[in-house]
Amino acid sequence: MEIIIQPDADAAADMAARIFANLIISKPDAVLGLATGSTPLPLYRKLIAAGLDWSGITTFNLDEYIGIGPDHPQSYHAFMQGNLFSQVNIKPGNIHIPDGMASDPEAHCRAYEEKIRQAGGIDLQLLGIGTDGHIGFNEPTSSLASRTRIKTLTERTRSDNARFFGGSGEVPFHVITMGIGTILQTRKVLLLATGKNKARAVAGAVEGPVTSMNPASALQLHPSALVCLDEDAASELTRCDYYRWVFDNKPSWQKI
Ligand code: PGA
């Protein structure tokens, strides 16, 4: 894993935007894995401001709530449309988000995996991290080999996300999410985390054992995982000096 520590959330988003922009420019037909939540919002704003050409880009989102349609304001379809897709020139047919209203969700999950495969796999997958270590909606105890499937949210995640819904009673219990095995097969992952409330989950993911109790720790098994943090999210890591030294002394051909 490569740990990049930036002074604040805005600088962490700048770094993430640079990594995404480099890929969009160098590979105009790249396949991007995208995420929702508060953390990626500044990144999406910076990518919009960069005025990149998205006409050949394909995207796959990590997850969606079951039982709410694309027009529901808290659906991840609406989130992506409002915060990114409506403001770049991506082709609607190149956008993929799990369908929370699918009549046969299990068949839909299998088809989603097949679409990722047909697109040639995901070049760069953006991830947030839950306070419980979840990536996508792979909650603690998720199989580290899991594929896209239906999951039940923990009470902690439902209460973390209640702020978007006007109360945790409104947050759906079930979701469709890419699996940890799906995420591990992407060519590169970029986990972006900011804020003190993520520090414990980040420390477990980076320096703890690989365990399904902290699903993000599975990224230790990924051959190309970047973890981009602000100081607060990095505050419980024990080896920050080493991570900073590695980043500051990268050989020129590895510079971001
Ligand atoms: P957040 O969510 O960015 O809203 O904190 C992250 C996540 O749950 O993956």
Side-chain angles (χ1 to χ4, degrees):
M1 282 176 142
E2 182 177 348
I3 317 303
I4 304 172
I5 302 170
Q6 295 291 293
D8 54 32
D10 189 60
D14 262 338
M15 176 64 65
R18 195 168 344 144
I19 293 164
F20 269 88
N22 283 348
L23 177 64
I24 291 169
I25 292 163
S26 66
K27 189 173 181 195
D29 60 349
V31 180
L32 307 181
L34 298 179
T36 52
S38 309
T39 313
L41 285 172
L43 160 63
Y44 292 153
R45 282 197 288 271
K46 288 170 195 290
L47 287 176
I48 291 163
L52 301 161
D53 179 11
W54 289 69
S55 61
I57 298 293
T58 297
T59 62
F60 287 90
N61 263 76
L62 283 166
D63 44 19
E64 179 58 286
Y65 294 108
I66 289 183
I68 64 178
D71 297 331
H72 188 292
Q74 300 314 331
S75 73
Y76 287 164
H77 280 75
F79 176 99
M80 291 307 300
Q81 206 52 43
N83 291 301
L84 180 66
F85 295 146
S86 63
Q87 293 161 79
V88 296
N89 67 334
I90 191 165
K91 295 196 176 109
N94 288 353
I95 295 169
H96 304 87
I97 305 176
D99 179 0
M101 300 298 275
S103 56
D104 182 346
E106 288 182 3
H108 179 70
C109 292
R110 287 192 296 275
Y112 200 69
E113 287 278 330
E114 182 56 22
K115 278 189 193 148
I116 295 172
R117 207 186 59 75
Q118 282 170 0
I122 293 172
D123 292 305
L124 176 59
Q125 176 67 54
L126 176 65
L127 298 171
I129 185 171
T131 57
D132 60 4
H134 71 216
I135 47 175
F137 271 138
N138 294 285
E139 298 283 34
T141 71
S142 286
S143 160
L144 302 188
S146 50
R147 312 302 305 199
T148 302
R149 71 210 182 292
I150 300 162
K151 281 295 288 182
T152 306
L153 296 180
T154 60
E155 270 318 297
R156 182 156 169 192
T157 297
R158 292 187 66 249
S159 87
D160 280 350
N161 289 3
R163 66 190 193 280
F164 299 115
F165 281 85
S168 63
E170 304 301 312
V171 182
F173 285 88
H174 294 105
V175 294
I176 293 175
T177 181
M178 277 189 210
I180 297 173
T182 319
I183 292 167
L184 291 180
Q185 268 189 358
T186 61
R187 287 187 196 92
K188 195 182 204 58
V189 299
L190 170 57
L191 187 148
L192 180 62
T194 54
K196 268 249 177 326
N197 63 331
K198 301 294 175 68
R200 177 159 300 223
V202 165
V206 173
E207 296 179 345
V210 174
T211 168
S212 65
M213 289 305 288
N214 180 332
S217 67
L219 300 177
Q220 294 174 32
L221 301 171
H222 195 292
S224 185
L226 290 170
V227 177
C228 186
L229 307 170
D230 68 353
E231 294 283 356
D232 283 344
S235 59
E236 291 195 31
L237 291 171
T238 63
R239 309 213 164 195
C240 288
D241 289 348
Y242 174 67
Y243 307 139
R244 285 186 221 279
W245 194 92
V246 170
F247 185 72
D248 290 342
N249 292 280
K250 268 168 162 313
S252 56
W253 41 270
Q254 268 191 346
K255 292 237 186 274
I256 292 167

